[in-house]
PDB file of all heavy atoms in Angstrom:
ATOM      1  N   HIS A   3     117.530  88.051 105.254  1.00 47.00           N
ATOM      2  CA  HIS A   3     117.526  89.477 105.484  1.00 47.00           C
ATOM      3  C   HIS A   3     117.238  89.730 106.960  1.00 47.00           C
ATOM      4  O   HIS A   3     116.422  89.060 107.559  1.00 47.00           O
ATOM      5  CB  HIS A   3     116.464  90.193 104.660  1.00 47.00           C
ATOM      6  CG  HIS A   3     116.746  90.121 103.184  1.00 47.00           C
ATOM      7  ND1 HIS A   3     117.703  90.848 102.584  1.00 47.00           N
ATOM      8  CD2 HIS A   3     116.180  89.353 102.224  1.00 47.00           C
ATOM      9  CE1 HIS A   3     117.694  90.575 101.297  1.00 47.00           C
ATOM     10  NE2 HIS A   3     116.792  89.658 101.046  1.00 47.00           N
ATOM     11  N   THR A   4     117.938  90.678 107.541  1.00 49.00           N
ATOM     12  CA  THR A   4     117.715  90.962 108.957  1.00 49.00           C
ATOM     13  C   THR A   4     117.035  92.303 109.159  1.00 49.00           C
ATOM     14  O   THR A   4     116.906  92.763 110.291  1.00 49.00           O
ATOM     15  CB  THR A   4     119.072  90.976 109.711  1.00 49.00           C
ATOM     16  OG1 THR A   4     119.924  91.937 109.125  1.00 49.00           O
ATOM     17  CG2 THR A   4     119.715  89.599 109.688  1.00 49.00           C
ATOM     18  N   HIS A   5     116.610  92.948 108.086  1.00 49.00           N
ATOM     19  CA  HIS A   5     115.915  94.224 108.233  1.00 49.00           C
ATOM     20  C   HIS A   5     114.696  94.260 107.333  1.00 49.00           C
ATOM     21  O   HIS A   5     114.578  93.490 106.383  1.00 49.00           O
ATOM     22  CB  HIS A   5     116.872  95.373 107.892  1.00 49.00           C
ATOM     23  CG  HIS A   5     117.368  95.334 106.460  1.00 49.00           C
ATOM     24  ND1 HIS A   5     118.383  94.484 106.051  1.00 49.00           N
ATOM     25  CD2 HIS A   5     116.973  95.989 105.353  1.00 49.00           C
ATOM     26  CE1 HIS A   5     118.596  94.654 104.771  1.00 49.00           C
ATOM     27  NE2 HIS A   5     117.751  95.542 104.334  1.00 49.00           N
ATOM     28  N   THR A   6     113.769  95.147 107.610  1.00 55.00           N
ATOM     29  CA  THR A   6     112.562  95.305 106.818  1.00 55.00           C
ATOM     30  C   THR A   6     112.864  96.209 105.649  1.00 55.00           C
ATOM     31  O   THR A   6     113.456  97.277 105.809  1.00 55.00           O
ATOM     32  CB  THR A   6     111.442  95.922 107.670  1.00 55.00           C
ATOM     33  OG1 THR A   6     111.212  95.041 108.766  1.00 55.00           O
ATOM     34  CG2 THR A   6     110.189  96.085 106.851  1.00 55.00           C
ATOM     35  N   LEU A   7     112.439  95.762 104.478  1.00 59.00           N
ATOM     36  CA  LEU A   7     112.632  96.562 103.248  1.00 59.00           C
ATOM     37  C   LEU A   7     111.438  97.501 103.094  1.00 59.00           C
ATOM     38  O   LEU A   7     110.309  97.054 103.001  1.00 59.00           O
ATOM     39  CB  LEU A   7     112.730  95.651 102.042  1.00 59.00           C
ATOM     40  CG  LEU A   7     113.866  94.625 102.073  1.00 59.00           C
ATOM     41  CD1 LEU A   7     113.752  93.689 100.901  1.00 59.00           C
ATOM     42  CD2 LEU A   7     115.206  95.311 102.079  1.00 59.00           C
ATOM     43  N   THR A   8     111.682  98.799 103.069  1.00 63.00           N
ATOM     44  CA  THR A   8     110.621  99.752 102.828  1.00 63.00           C
ATOM     45  C   THR A   8     111.102 100.699 101.724  1.00 63.00           C
ATOM     46  O   THR A   8     112.273 100.879 101.507  1.00 63.00           O
ATOM     47  CB  THR A   8     110.241 100.586 104.083  1.00 63.00           C
ATOM     48  OG1 THR A   8     111.395 101.276 104.512  1.00 63.00           O
ATOM     49  CG2 THR A   8     109.697  99.715 105.166  1.00 63.00           C
ATOM     50  N   ASN A   9     110.149 101.289 101.058  1.00 66.00           N
ATOM     51  CA  ASN A   9     110.439 102.257  99.996  1.00 66.00           C
ATOM     52  C   ASN A   9     109.908 103.594 100.397  1.00 66.00           C
ATOM     53  O   ASN A   9     108.895 103.715 101.070  1.00 66.00           O
ATOM     54  CB  ASN A   9     109.802 101.825  98.687  1.00 66.00           C
ATOM     55  CG  ASN A   9     110.503 100.652  98.083  1.00 66.00           C
ATOM     56  OD1 ASN A   9     111.688 100.639  97.970  1.00 66.00           O
ATOM     57  ND2 ASN A   9     109.738  99.649  97.676  1.00 66.00           N
ATOM     58  N   LYS A  10     110.613 104.632 100.006  1.00 66.00           N
ATOM     59  CA  LYS A  10     110.203 105.998 100.307  1.00 66.00           C
ATOM     60  C   LYS A  10     109.252 106.501  99.256  1.00 66.00           C
ATOM     61  O   LYS A  10     109.528 106.386  98.053  1.00 66.00           O
ATOM     62  CB  LYS A  10     111.410 106.920 100.416  1.00 66.00           C
ATOM     63  CG  LYS A  10     111.065 108.310 100.828  1.00 66.00           C
ATOM     64  CD  LYS A  10     112.284 109.152 101.003  1.00 66.00           C
ATOM     65  CE  LYS A  10     111.858 110.541 101.451  1.00 66.00           C
ATOM     66  NZ  LYS A  10     112.982 111.427 101.575  1.00 66.00           N
ATOM     67  N   VAL A  11     108.139 107.068  99.680  1.00 63.00           N
ATOM     68  CA  VAL A  11     107.180 107.675  98.743  1.00 63.00           C
ATOM     69  C   VAL A  11     107.690 109.084  98.434  1.00 63.00           C
ATOM     70  O   VAL A  11     107.880 109.877  99.357  1.00 63.00           O
ATOM     71  CB  VAL A  11     105.770 107.701  99.363  1.00 63.00           C
ATOM     72  CG1 VAL A  11     104.790 108.385  98.426  1.00 63.00           C
ATOM     73  CG2 VAL A  11     105.296 106.307  99.710  1.00 63.00           C
ATOM     74  N   PRO A  12     107.847 109.405  97.152  1.00 61.00           N
ATOM     75  CA  PRO A  12     108.333 110.759  96.840  1.00 61.00           C
ATOM     76  C   PRO A  12     107.314 111.828  97.146  1.00 61.00           C
ATOM     77  O   PRO A  12     106.137 111.555  97.256  1.00 61.00           O
ATOM     78  CB  PRO A  12     108.588 110.681  95.341  1.00 61.00           C
ATOM     79  CG  PRO A  12     107.752 109.545  94.830  1.00 61.00           C
ATOM     80  CD  PRO A  12     107.591 108.608  95.988  1.00 61.00           C
ATOM     81  N   CYS A  13     107.770 113.073  97.320  1.00 65.00           N
ATOM     82  CA  CYS A  13     106.844 114.176  97.609  1.00 65.00           C
ATOM     83  C   CYS A  13     106.776 115.118  96.410  1.00 65.00           C
ATOM     84  O   CYS A  13     107.653 115.183  95.600  1.00 65.00           O
ATOM     85  CB  CYS A  13     107.208 114.979  98.838  1.00 65.00           C
ATOM     86  SG  CYS A  13     108.708 114.576  99.667  1.00 65.00           S
ATOM     87  N   LEU A  14     105.653 115.855  96.399  1.00 60.00           N
ATOM     88  CA  LEU A  14     105.464 116.882  95.383  1.00 60.00           C
ATOM     89  C   LEU A  14     105.515 118.242  96.081  1.00 60.00           C
ATOM     90  O   LEU A  14     105.195 118.360  97.254  1.00 60.00           O
ATOM     91  CB  LEU A  14     104.080 116.680  94.763  1.00 60.00           C
ATOM     92  CG  LEU A  14     103.700 117.507  93.547  1.00 60.00           C
ATOM     93  CD1 LEU A  14     104.613 117.214  92.379  1.00 60.00           C
ATOM     94  CD2 LEU A  14     102.276 117.222  93.135  1.00 60.00           C
ATOM     95  N   ARG A  15     105.962 119.231  95.360  1.00 61.00           N
ATOM     96  CA  ARG A  15     106.084 120.573  95.946  1.00 61.00           C
ATOM     97  C   ARG A  15     104.742 121.040  96.503  1.00 61.00           C
ATOM     98  O   ARG A  15     103.665 120.734  95.942  1.00 61.00           O
ATOM     99  CB  ARG A  15     106.551 121.587  94.909  1.00 61.00           C
ATOM    100  CG  ARG A  15     107.971 121.375  94.473  1.00 61.00           C
ATOM    101  CD  ARG A  15     108.366 122.436  93.512  1.00 61.00           C
ATOM    102  NE  ARG A  15     107.350 122.508  92.449  1.00 61.00           N
ATOM    103  CZ  ARG A  15     107.567 122.883  91.217  1.00 61.00           C
ATOM    104  NH1 ARG A  15     108.762 123.250  90.883  1.00 61.00           N
ATOM    105  NH2 ARG A  15     106.622 122.929  90.323  1.00 61.00           N
ATOM    106  N   ASN A  16     104.756 121.811  97.576  1.00 65.00           N
ATOM    107  CA  ASN A  16     103.551 122.284  98.233  1.00 65.00           C
ATOM    108  C   ASN A  16     102.725 123.201  97.336  1.00 65.00           C
ATOM    109  O   ASN A  16     101.497 123.244  97.473  1.00 65.00           O
ATOM    110  CB  ASN A  16     103.896 123.005  99.526  1.00 65.00           C
ATOM    111  CG  ASN A  16     104.368 122.047 100.592  1.00 65.00           C
ATOM    112  OD1 ASN A  16     104.075 120.851 100.516  1.00 65.00           O
ATOM    113  ND2 ASN A  16     105.090 122.561 101.577  1.00 65.00           N
TER     114      ASN A  16
END
Side-chain angles (χ1 to χ4, degrees):
H3 294 285
T4 58
H5 62 281
T6 301
L7 302 173
T8 59
N9 288 312
K10 184 176 180 183
V11 177
C13 4
L14 187 63
R15 292 182 309 209
N16 289 340

